[in-house]
Coordinates of all heavy atoms in Angstrom, one line a residue:
M1409 N -26.9 -15.3 14.4 CA -25.5 -14.8 14.3 C -25.4 -13.3 14.7 O -26.2 -12.6 14.1 CB -24.9 -15.1 13.0 CG -23.4 -14.9 12.9 SD -22.5 -15.8 11.7 CE -23.1 -15.2 10.2
A1410 N -24.5 -12.9 15.5 CA -24.4 -11.5 15.9 C -23.8 -10.7 14.8 O -22.9 -11.1 14.1 CB -23.6 -11.4 17.2
K1411 N -24.4 -9.5 14.7 CA -23.9 -8.6 13.6 C -22.8 -7.7 14.3 O -23.0 -7.1 15.3 CB -25.0 -7.8 13.1 CG -24.6 -7.0 11.9 CD -25.8 -6.3 11.3 CE -25.4 -5.6 10.0 NZ -26.5 -5.0 9.3
L1412 N -21.6 -7.7 13.7 CA -20.5 -6.9 14.2 C -20.6 -5.5 13.8 O -21.0 -5.2 12.7 CB -19.2 -7.5 13.8 CG -18.8 -8.9 14.2 CD1 -17.6 -9.4 13.6 CD2 -18.7 -9.0 15.7
P1413 N -20.3 -4.5 14.7 CA -20.4 -3.1 14.3 C -19.3 -2.8 13.3 O -18.2 -3.3 13.3 CB -20.2 -2.4 15.6 CG -19.4 -3.4 16.5 CD -19.9 -4.7 16.1
T1414 N -19.6 -1.9 12.4 CA -18.7 -1.4 11.4 C -17.8 -0.3 12.0 O -18.4 0.6 12.6 CB -19.4 -0.8 10.2 OG1 -20.3 -1.9 9.6 CG2 -18.5 -0.4 9.1
I1415 N -16.5 -0.4 11.8 CA -15.6 0.6 12.3 C -15.4 1.7 11.3 O -15.1 1.4 10.1 CB -14.3 0.0 12.7 CG1 -14.5 -1.0 13.8 CG2 -13.3 1.1 13.1 CD1 -13.2 -1.8 14.1
R1416 N -15.6 2.9 11.7 CA -15.5 4.1 10.8 C -14.5 5.0 11.3 O -14.4 5.2 12.5 CB -16.8 4.8 10.6 CG -17.9 3.9 10.0 CD -18.3 4.5 8.7 NE -19.4 3.8 8.2 CZ -19.4 3.2 7.0 NH1 -18.4 3.4 6.2 NH2 -20.5 2.6 6.5
I1417 N -13.6 5.5 10.5 CA -12.6 6.5 10.9 C -12.9 7.8 10.1 O -13.0 7.8 8.9 CB -11.2 6.0 10.6 CG1 -10.9 4.7 11.4 CG2 -10.2 7.1 10.9 CD1 -9.6 4.1 11.0
R1418 N -13.0 8.9 10.8 CA -13.2 10.2 10.2 C -11.9 10.9 10.0 O -11.1 11.1 11.0 CB -14.2 11.0 10.9 CG -15.6 10.5 10.9 CD -16.5 11.4 11.7 NE -16.4 12.8 11.2 CZ -17.3 13.5 10.6 NH1 -18.5 12.9 10.4 NH2 -17.1 14.7 10.2
T1419 N -11.6 11.4 8.9 CA -10.3 12.2 8.7 C -10.6 13.2 7.5 O -11.5 13.1 6.8 CB -9.1 11.3 8.4 OG1 -7.9 12.1 8.3 CG2 -9.3 10.5 7.1
R1420 N -9.7 14.1 7.4 CA -9.8 15.1 6.3 C -9.5 14.5 4.9 O -8.7 13.6 4.8 CB -8.9 16.3 6.6 CG -9.2 17.0 7.8 CD -8.4 18.3 7.9 NE -8.6 18.9 9.2 CZ -9.6 19.8 9.4 NH1 -10.4 20.1 8.5 NH2 -9.7 20.3 10.6
R1421 N -10.1 15.0 3.9 CA -10.0 14.5 2.6 C -8.5 14.7 2.1 O -8.1 13.9 1.2 CB -10.9 15.3 1.6 CG -11.0 14.8 0.2 CD -12.4 14.3 0.0 NE -12.6 13.8 -1.3 CZ -12.8 12.5 -1.6 NH1 -12.7 11.6 -0.6 NH2 -13.0 12.1 -2.8
K1422 N -7.8 15.6 2.6 CA -6.4 15.9 2.1 C -5.5 14.7 2.5 O -4.4 14.6 1.9 CB -5.9 17.2 2.6 CG -5.7 17.3 4.1 CD -5.1 18.6 4.5 CE -4.9 18.7 6.0 NZ -4.4 20.0 6.4
Y1423 N -5.9 13.9 3.4 CA -5.1 12.7 3.8 C -5.4 11.5 3.0 O -4.8 10.4 3.3 CB -5.2 12.4 5.3 CG -4.8 13.6 6.2 CD1 -5.7 14.1 7.1 CD2 -3.5 14.1 6.1 CE1 -5.3 15.2 7.9 CE2 -3.1 15.2 6.9 CZ -4.0 15.7 7.8 OH -3.6 16.8 8.6
Y1424 N -6.3 11.5 2.1 CA -6.8 10.4 1.3 C -5.6 9.7 0.6 O -5.4 8.5 0.7 CB -7.8 10.8 0.3 CG -8.2 9.6 -0.6 CD1 -9.1 8.7 -0.2 CD2 -7.7 9.5 -1.9 CE1 -9.5 7.6 -1.0 CE2 -8.0 8.5 -2.7 CZ -8.9 7.5 -2.3 OH -9.3 6.5 -3.1
R1425 N -4.8 10.5 -0.1 CA -3.7 9.9 -0.9 C -2.7 9.3 0.0 O -2.1 8.2 -0.3 CB -3.1 10.9 -1.8 CG -2.1 10.3 -2.8 CD -1.4 11.3 -3.7 NE -2.4 11.8 -4.6 CZ -2.4 13.0 -5.1 NH1 -1.5 13.9 -4.8 NH2 -3.3 13.4 -6.0
L1426 N -2.4 9.9 1.1 CA -1.4 9.4 2.1 C -1.9 8.1 2.7 O -1.1 7.1 2.7 CB -1.2 10.4 3.2 CG 0.0 10.2 4.1 CD1 1.3 10.2 3.4 CD2 -0.1 11.2 5.2
I1427 N -3.1 8.0 3.1 CA -3.7 6.8 3.7 C -3.8 5.7 2.6 O -3.4 4.5 2.8 CB -5.0 7.0 4.3 CG1 -4.8 8.0 5.5 CG2 -5.7 5.7 4.7 CD1 -6.2 8.5 6.1
F1428 N -4.3 6.0 1.4 CA -4.4 5.0 0.3 C -3.1 4.4 0.0 O -3.0 3.2 -0.1 CB -5.1 5.7 -0.9 CG -5.2 4.8 -2.1 CD1 -6.2 3.8 -2.1 CD2 -4.4 4.9 -3.1 CE1 -6.3 2.9 -3.2 CE2 -4.5 4.0 -4.2 CZ -5.4 3.1 -4.2
T1429 N -2.1 5.3 -0.3 CA -0.8 4.7 -0.7 C -0.1 4.0 0.4 O 0.6 3.0 0.2 CB 0.1 5.9 -1.2 OG1 0.3 6.8 -0.2 CG2 -0.4 6.5 -2.5
G1430 N -0.3 4.4 1.6 CA 0.2 3.6 2.8 C -0.3 2.2 2.9 O 0.4 1.3 3.1
L1431 N -1.7 2.1 2.7 CA -2.3 0.8 2.8 C -1.9 -0.1 1.6 O -1.6 -1.3 1.7 CB -3.8 0.9 2.9 CG -4.3 1.5 4.2 CD1 -5.8 1.8 4.1 CD2 -4.0 0.6 5.4
M1432 N -1.8 0.5 0.4 CA -1.4 -0.2 -0.8 C 0.0 -0.7 -0.7 O 0.3 -1.8 -1.0 CB -1.6 0.6 -2.0 CG -3.1 0.8 -2.4 SD -3.9 -0.8 -2.8 CE -3.0 -1.3 -4.3
A1433 N 0.9 0.2 -0.2 CA 2.3 -0.2 -0.1 C 2.5 -1.3 1.0 O 3.3 -2.2 0.8 CB 3.1 1.0 0.3
M1434 N 1.7 -1.2 2.1 CA 1.8 -2.2 3.1 C 1.4 -3.6 2.6 O 2.1 -4.6 2.8 CB 0.8 -1.9 4.3 CG 1.0 -2.7 5.5 SD -0.1 -2.3 6.8 CE 0.1 -0.6 7.0
M1435 N 0.3 -3.7 1.9 CA -0.2 -5.0 1.3 C 0.7 -5.5 0.2 O 1.1 -6.7 0.2 CB -1.6 -4.8 0.8 CG -2.6 -4.7 1.9 SD -4.4 -4.7 1.3 CE -4.5 -3.2 0.4
M1436 N 1.1 -4.6 -0.7 CA 1.9 -5.1 -1.8 C 3.3 -5.5 -1.3 O 3.9 -6.5 -1.8 CB 2.0 -4.0 -2.9 CG 0.7 -3.8 -3.6 SD 0.8 -2.6 -4.9 CE 1.8 -3.4 -6.1
S1437 N 3.9 -4.7 -0.4 CA 5.2 -5.1 0.1 C 5.2 -6.5 0.8 O 6.1 -7.2 0.7 CB 5.8 -4.0 0.9 OG 5.1 -3.8 2.1
L1438 N 4.1 -6.7 1.5 CA 4.0 -8.0 2.2 C 3.9 -9.2 1.2 O 4.6 -10.2 1.3 CB 2.7 -8.1 3.1 CG 2.4 -9.4 3.7 CD1 3.5 -9.8 4.7 CD2 1.1 -9.4 4.4
I1439 N 3.1 -9.0 0.2 CA 2.9 -10.0 -0.8 C 4.2 -10.3 -1.6 O 4.6 -11.4 -1.8 CB 1.7 -9.6 -1.8 CG1 0.4 -9.7 -1.1 CG2 1.7 -10.6 -3.0 CD1 -0.7 -9.0 -1.8
I1440 N 4.8 -9.2 -2.0 CA 6.1 -9.4 -2.8 C 7.2 -9.9 -1.9 O 7.9 -10.8 -2.4 CB 6.5 -8.0 -3.4 CG1 5.4 -7.6 -4.5 CG2 7.9 -8.1 -4.0 CD1 5.6 -6.2 -5.0
S1441 N 7.3 -9.5 -0.7 CA 8.3 -10.0 0.2 C 8.1 -11.5 0.4 O 9.1 -12.3 0.4 CB 8.3 -9.3 1.6 OG 8.7 -8.0 1.4
A1442 N 6.9 -11.9 0.7 CA 6.6 -13.3 0.9 C 6.9 -14.2 -0.3 O 7.5 -15.2 -0.3 CB 5.1 -13.5 1.3
A1443 N 6.5 -13.7 -1.5 CA 6.7 -14.4 -2.7 C 8.2 -14.5 -3.0 O 8.7 -15.6 -3.4 CB 6.0 -13.7 -3.9
L1444 N 9.0 -13.5 -2.8 CA 10.4 -13.6 -3.1 C 11.1 -14.5 -2.1 O 12.0 -15.2 -2.5 CB 11.0 -12.2 -3.1 CG 10.7 -11.3 -4.2 CD1 11.2 -9.9 -4.0 CD2 11.1 -11.9 -5.5
I1445 N 10.7 -14.5 -0.9 CA 11.3 -15.4 0.1 C 11.0 -16.8 -0.2 O 11.9 -17.7 -0.2 CB 10.9 -15.0 1.5 CG1 11.5 -13.7 1.9 CG2 11.3 -16.1 2.5 CD1 10.9 -13.1 3.2
I1446 N 9.7 -17.1 -0.6 CA 9.3 -18.5 -1.0 C 10.1 -18.9 -2.2 O 10.6 -20.1 -2.2 CB 7.8 -18.6 -1.1 CG1 7.1 -18.4 0.2 CG2 7.4 -19.9 -1.8 CD1 5.6 -18.2 0.1
V1447 N 10.2 -18.1 -3.2 CA 11.0 -18.5 -4.4 C 12.4 -18.7 -4.1 O 13.0 -19.7 -4.6 CB 10.8 -17.4 -5.5 CG1 11.7 -17.6 -6.6 CG2 9.4 -17.4 -6.0
K1448 N 13.0 -17.8 -3.3 CA 14.5 -17.9 -3.0 C 14.8 -19.0 -2.1 O 15.8 -19.8 -2.4 CB 15.0 -16.6 -2.5 CG 16.4 -16.5 -2.3 CD 16.9 -15.1 -1.8 CE 18.4 -15.1 -1.6 NZ 18.8 -13.8 -1.1
T1449 N 14.2 -19.2 -1.0 CA 14.6 -20.1 0.1 C 13.5 -21.2 0.4 O 13.8 -22.1 1.1 CB 15.0 -19.4 1.4 OG1 13.9 -18.7 1.9 CG2 16.2 -18.5 1.1
G1450 N 12.3 -20.9 0.0 CA 11.2 -21.8 0.3 C 10.7 -21.5 1.7 O 11.2 -20.6 2.4
I1451 N 9.7 -22.2 2.2 CA 9.1 -22.1 3.5 C 10.0 -22.9 4.5 O 10.1 -24.1 4.3 CB 7.6 -22.5 3.6 CG1 6.8 -21.5 2.7 CG2 7.1 -22.4 5.0 CD1 5.4 -21.9 2.6
H1452 N 10.6 -22.3 5.4 CA 11.5 -22.9 6.3 C 11.3 -22.5 7.7 O 10.5 -21.6 8.0 CB 13.0 -22.6 5.9 CG 13.2 -21.1 5.8 ND1 13.5 -20.3 6.8 CD2 13.2 -20.3 4.7 CE1 13.6 -19.1 6.4 NE2 13.5 -19.0 5.1
D1453 N 12.1 -23.1 8.7 CA 12.0 -22.6 10.0 C 12.6 -21.2 10.1 O 13.6 -20.8 9.5 CB 12.9 -23.5 10.9 CG 12.4 -24.9 11.1 OD1 11.2 -25.1 10.9 OD2 13.2 -25.8 11.4
G1454 N 11.9 -20.3 10.7 CA 12.2 -18.9 10.8 C 11.7 -18.1 9.6 O 12.1 -16.9 9.4
F1455 N 10.8 -18.7 8.8 CA 10.2 -18.0 7.7 C 9.5 -16.7 8.1 O 9.6 -15.7 7.5 CB 9.2 -18.9 6.9 CG 8.5 -18.2 5.9 CD1 9.0 -18.0 4.6 CD2 7.1 -17.9 6.1 CE1 8.3 -17.3 3.6 CE2 6.4 -17.2 5.1 CZ 7.0 -17.0 3.9
F1456 N 8.7 -16.8 9.2 CA 7.9 -15.7 9.7 C 8.8 -14.5 10.1 O 8.6 -13.4 9.7 CB 7.0 -16.1 10.8 CG 6.1 -15.0 11.2 CD1 5.0 -14.6 10.5 CD2 6.3 -14.3 12.4 CE1 4.2 -13.6 10.8 CE2 5.5 -13.3 12.8 CZ 4.4 -12.9 12.0
M1457 N 9.9 -14.8 10.8 CA 10.8 -13.7 11.2 C 11.6 -13.1 10.0 O 11.7 -11.9 9.9 CB 11.9 -14.3 12.2 CG 11.2 -14.6 13.6 SD 10.3 -13.2 14.3 CE 11.6 -12.0 14.5
T1458 N 11.9 -14.0 9.1 CA 12.6 -13.5 7.8 C 11.6 -12.6 7.1 O 12.0 -11.5 6.6 CB 13.0 -14.6 6.9 OG1 13.9 -15.5 7.7 CG2 13.7 -14.1 5.7
L1459 N 10.3 -13.0 7.0 CA 9.3 -12.2 6.3 C 9.1 -10.9 7.0 O 9.0 -9.9 6.3 CB 8.0 -13.0 6.3 CG 6.8 -12.3 5.7 CD1 7.1 -11.9 4.2 CD2 5.5 -13.1 5.8
M1460 N 9.0 -10.9 8.3 CA 8.8 -9.6 9.0 C 9.9 -8.6 8.8 O 9.7 -7.4 8.6 CB 8.6 -9.8 10.5 CG 7.3 -10.5 10.9 SD 5.9 -9.5 10.5 CE 5.2 -10.4 9.1
H1461 N 11.2 -9.1 8.8 CA 12.3 -8.3 8.6 C 12.3 -7.7 7.1 O 12.5 -6.5 6.9 CB 13.6 -9.0 8.8 CG 14.8 -8.2 8.5 ND1 15.3 -7.2 9.3 CD2 15.7 -8.3 7.5 CE1 16.3 -6.7 8.8 NE2 16.6 -7.4 7.7
S1462 N 12.0 -8.6 6.2 CA 12.0 -8.2 4.8 C 10.9 -7.3 4.5 O 11.0 -6.3 3.8 CB 11.9 -9.5 3.9 OG 11.7 -9.2 2.6
W1463 N 9.7 -7.5 5.1 CA 8.5 -6.7 4.9 C 8.8 -5.3 5.4 O 8.4 -4.3 4.8 CB 7.3 -7.3 5.6 CG 6.0 -6.6 5.4 CD1 5.7 -5.8 4.4 CD2 4.9 -6.7 6.2 NE1 4.4 -5.3 4.5 CE2 3.9 -5.9 5.6 CE3 4.6 -7.4 7.4 CZ2 2.6 -5.7 6.2 CZ3 3.3 -7.2 7.9 CH2 2.4 -6.4 7.3
G1464 N 9.4 -5.2 6.6 CA 9.7 -3.8 7.2 C 10.6 -3.1 6.3 O 10.4 -1.9 6.0
L1465 N 11.6 -3.7 5.8 CA 12.6 -3.0 4.9 C 11.9 -2.7 3.6 O 12.1 -1.6 3.1 CB 13.8 -4.0 4.7 CG 14.9 -3.4 3.9 CD1 15.5 -2.2 4.7 CD2 16.0 -4.4 3.7
A1466 N 11.1 -3.5 3.0 CA 10.4 -3.3 1.8 C 9.4 -2.1 1.9 O 9.3 -1.3 1.0 CB 9.7 -4.5 1.3
F1467 N 8.8 -2.1 3.1 CA 7.8 -1.0 3.3 C 8.4 0.4 3.3 O 7.8 1.4 2.9 CB 7.0 -1.3 4.5 CG 5.9 -0.3 4.8 CD1 4.8 -0.2 4.0 CD2 6.0 0.6 5.8 CE1 3.8 0.7 4.2 CE2 5.0 1.6 6.1 CZ 3.9 1.6 5.2
I1468 N 9.6 0.5 3.9 CA 10.3 1.7 3.9 C 10.5 2.3 2.5 O 10.4 3.5 2.3 CB 11.7 1.6 4.7 CG1 11.5 1.3 6.1 CG2 12.6 2.8 4.5 CD1 12.7 0.9 6.9
F1469 N 10.8 1.5 1.6 CA 11.0 1.9 0.2 C 9.6 2.0 -0.6 O 9.5 2.8 -1.5 CB 11.9 1.0 -0.6 CG 13.3 1.1 0.0 CD1 13.8 0.2 0.9 CD2 14.1 2.1 -0.5 CE1 15.1 0.3 1.4 CE2 15.4 2.2 0.0 CZ 15.9 1.3 0.9
A1470 N 8.7 1.2 -0.2 CA 7.4 1.1 -1.0 C 6.5 2.3 -0.8 O 5.9 2.8 -1.7 CB 6.7 -0.2 -0.6
W1471 N 6.4 2.8 0.5 CA 5.5 3.9 0.7 C 5.9 5.1 0.0 O 5.0 5.7 -0.7 CB 5.3 4.1 2.2 CG 4.1 4.9 2.5 CD1 3.3 5.6 1.7 CD2 3.6 5.2 3.8 NE1 2.3 6.2 2.4 CE2 2.5 6.0 3.7 CE3 4.0 4.8 5.1 CZ2 1.7 6.5 4.8 CZ3 3.2 5.3 6.2 CH2 2.1 6.1 6.0
P1472 N 7.1 5.6 0.1 CA 7.4 6.9 -0.6 C 7.3 6.7 -2.1 O 6.8 7.6 -2.8 CB 8.9 7.2 -0.2 CG 9.1 6.4 1.0 CD 8.2 5.2 1.0
S1473 N 7.7 5.5 -2.6 CA 7.7 5.3 -4.1 C 6.2 5.2 -4.5 O 5.8 5.7 -5.6 CB 8.5 4.1 -4.5 OG 8.0 2.9 -3.9
A1474 N 5.3 4.6 -3.8 CA 3.9 4.5 -4.1 C 3.3 5.9 -4.1 O 2.4 6.2 -4.9 CB 3.2 3.6 -3.2
Y1475 N 3.7 6.7 -3.1 CA 3.1 8.1 -3.0 C 3.5 8.9 -4.2 O 2.7 9.6 -4.8 CB 3.6 8.7 -1.7 CG 2.9 10.0 -1.4 CD1 1.6 10.0 -0.8 CD2 3.5 11.2 -1.7 CE1 1.0 11.2 -0.5 CE2 2.9 12.4 -1.4 CZ 1.6 12.4 -0.8 OH 1.0 13.6 -0.6
I1476 N 4.8 8.8 -4.6 CA 5.2 9.6 -5.7 C 4.6 9.1 -7.0 O 4.1 9.9 -7.8 CB 6.8 9.5 -5.8 CG1 7.4 10.3 -4.6 CG2 7.3 10.1 -7.1 CD1 8.8 10.1 -4.4
C1477 N 4.5 7.8 -7.2 CA 3.9 7.2 -8.4 C 2.4 7.5 -8.5 O 1.9 7.8 -9.5 CB 4.1 5.7 -8.4 SG 5.8 5.2 -8.7
A1478 N 1.7 7.5 -7.3 CA 0.3 7.8 -7.3 C 0.1 9.2 -7.7 O -0.9 9.5 -8.5 CB -0.3 7.5 -6.0
Y1479 N 0.9 10.1 -7.2 CA 0.8 11.5 -7.5 C 1.0 11.7 -9.0 O 0.3 12.4 -9.7 CB 1.8 12.4 -6.7 CG 1.9 13.8 -7.2 CD1 0.9 14.7 -6.9 CD2 2.9 14.2 -8.1 CE1 0.9 16.0 -7.3 CE2 2.9 15.5 -8.5 CZ 1.9 16.4 -8.2 OH 2.0 17.7 -8.6
F1480 N 2.1 11.1 -9.5 CA 2.4 11.2 -11.0 C 1.3 10.7 -11.9 O 0.9 11.4 -12.8 CB 3.7 10.5 -11.3 CG 4.1 10.6 -12.7 CD1 4.6 11.7 -13.3 CD2 3.9 9.5 -13.5 CE1 5.0 11.8 -14.6 CE2 4.3 9.5 -14.9 CZ 4.8 10.7 -15.4
V1481 N 0.8 9.6 -11.5 CA -0.3 9.0 -12.4 C -1.5 9.8 -12.3 O -2.2 10.1 -13.3 CB -0.6 7.5 -11.9 CG1 -1.8 7.0 -12.6 CG2 0.6 6.6 -12.3
Q1482 N -2.0 10.2 -11.1 CA -3.2 11.0 -11.0 C -3.1 12.4 -11.6 O -4.0 12.8 -12.3 CB -3.6 11.1 -9.5 CG -4.1 9.8 -8.9 CD -4.4 10.0 -7.4 OE1 -3.9 10.9 -6.8 NE2 -5.1 9.0 -6.9
E1483 N -2.0 13.0 -11.4 CA -1.9 14.4 -11.9 C -1.4 14.5 -13.3 O -1.9 15.4 -14.1 CB -0.9 15.2 -11.0 CG -1.4 15.3 -9.5 CD -2.6 16.1 -9.4 OE1 -2.9 17.0 -10.1 OE2 -3.4 15.7 -8.5
Q1484 N -0.5 13.7 -13.8 CA 0.1 13.8 -15.1 C -0.5 12.9 -16.1 O -0.6 13.3 -17.3 CB 1.6 13.5 -15.0 CG 2.3 14.4 -14.0 CD 2.2 15.9 -14.3 OE1 2.2 16.3 -15.5 NE2 2.1 16.7 -13.3
V1485 N -0.9 11.7 -15.8 CA -1.4 10.8 -16.8 C -2.9 10.8 -16.8 O -3.5 11.0 -17.9 CB -0.9 9.3 -16.4 CG1 -1.5 8.3 -17.4 CG2 0.6 9.3 -16.4
L1486 N -3.6 10.6 -15.7 CA -5.1 10.6 -15.8 C -5.7 11.9 -16.1 O -6.9 11.9 -16.6 CB -5.6 10.1 -14.4 CG -5.3 8.6 -14.0 CD1 -5.8 8.3 -12.7 CD2 -5.8 7.7 -15.1
S1487 N -5.0 13.0 -15.9 CA -5.6 14.3 -16.3 C -5.6 14.5 -17.8 O -6.3 15.3 -18.3 CB -4.8 15.4 -15.7 OG -3.5 15.4 -16.2
R1488 N -4.9 13.6 -18.6 CA -4.9 13.7 -20.0 C -5.8 12.8 -20.7 O -5.9 12.7 -21.9 CB -3.4 13.5 -20.5 CG -2.5 14.6 -20.1 CD -1.1 14.3 -20.5 NE -0.2 15.5 -20.5 CZ 0.3 16.0 -19.4 NH1 -0.1 15.6 -18.2 NH2 1.1 17.1 -19.5
I1489 N -6.5 12.0 -19.9 CA -7.4 11.0 -20.5 C -8.9 11.5 -20.3 O -9.2 11.9 -19.2 CB -7.3 9.6 -19.8 CG1 -5.8 9.1 -20.0 CG2 -8.3 8.6 -20.3 CD1 -5.6 7.8 -19.2
E1490 N -9.6 11.4 -21.4 CA -11.1 11.8 -21.3 C -11.9 10.5 -21.0 O -11.9 9.6 -21.8 CB -11.5 12.4 -22.6 CG -11.3 13.8 -22.7 CD -12.0 14.5 -23.9 OE1 -13.2 14.1 -24.1 OE2 -11.3 15.2 -24.6
F1491 N -12.5 10.5 -19.8 CA -13.3 9.4 -19.5 C -14.8 9.7 -19.8 O -15.2 10.9 -19.7 CB -13.2 9.1 -18.0 CG -11.9 8.6 -17.6 CD1 -10.9 9.4 -17.0 CD2 -11.6 7.2 -17.8 CE1 -9.7 8.9 -16.6 CE2 -10.3 6.8 -17.4 CZ -9.4 7.6 -16.8
Y1492 N -15.5 8.7 -20.3 CA -17.0 9.0 -20.6 C -17.8 7.9 -19.9 O -17.4 7.0 -19.4 CB -17.2 9.0 -22.1 CG -16.8 7.8 -22.8 CD1 -17.7 6.7 -23.0 CD2 -15.5 7.6 -23.3 CE1 -17.3 5.6 -23.7 CE2 -15.2 6.5 -24.0 CZ -16.1 5.5 -24.2 OH -15.7 4.4 -24.8

């Protein structure tokens, strides 16, 4: 079996939080959008298009809120906990 090459991206450390929260918001908004559509209407014709529209709208709100929450948790909450 052929071994696929690993893709690596180099970027500055200061972009870590932005990239991390962006990826988390993308995955979580997809999962939550899909779950809510399935619960509300079930899987139907046009489900994929409804999901893409809902996901795009959810992501617009998810990324800034994830960025703010990640900053708050890292700077205000985790700085007060002693880890050993």
Side-chain angles (χ1 to χ4, degrees):
M1409 189 154 63
K1411 190 172 184 178
L1412 297 174
T1414 302
I1415 297 172
R1416 300 238 184 237
I1417 298 172
R1418 291 182 51 115
T1419 186
R1420 297 189 185 274
R1421 189 115 177 110
K1422 66 181 179 179
Y1423 299 124
Y1424 174 82
R1425 186 180 290 148
L1426 189 65
I1427 294 168
F1428 176 76
T1429 58
L1431 292 173
M1432 287 298 295
M1434 189 183 309
M1435 289 186 291
M1436 291 182 69
S1437 61
L1438 174 65
I1439 292 168
I1440 292 169
S1441 294
L1444 290 175
I1445 292 170
I1446 290 171
V1447 166
K1448 185 176 178 184
T1449 62
I1451 297 177
H1452 54 80
D1453 292 339
F1455 172 78
F1456 185 73
M1457 290 306 297
T1458 305
L1459 177 61
M1460 290 297 106
H1461 176 72
S1462 175
W1463 184 23
L1465 187 60
F1467 183 69
I1468 290 171
F1469 292 97
W1471 195 353
S1473 60
Y1475 189 79
I1476 292 167
C1477 290
Y1479 172 78
F1480 178 75
V1481 168
Q1482 287 176 343
E1483 299 296 326
Q1484 304 299 324
V1485 177
L1486 293 179
S1487 65
R1488 290 176 167 73
I1489 299 173
E1490 276 190 43
F1491 293 100
Y1492 57 92

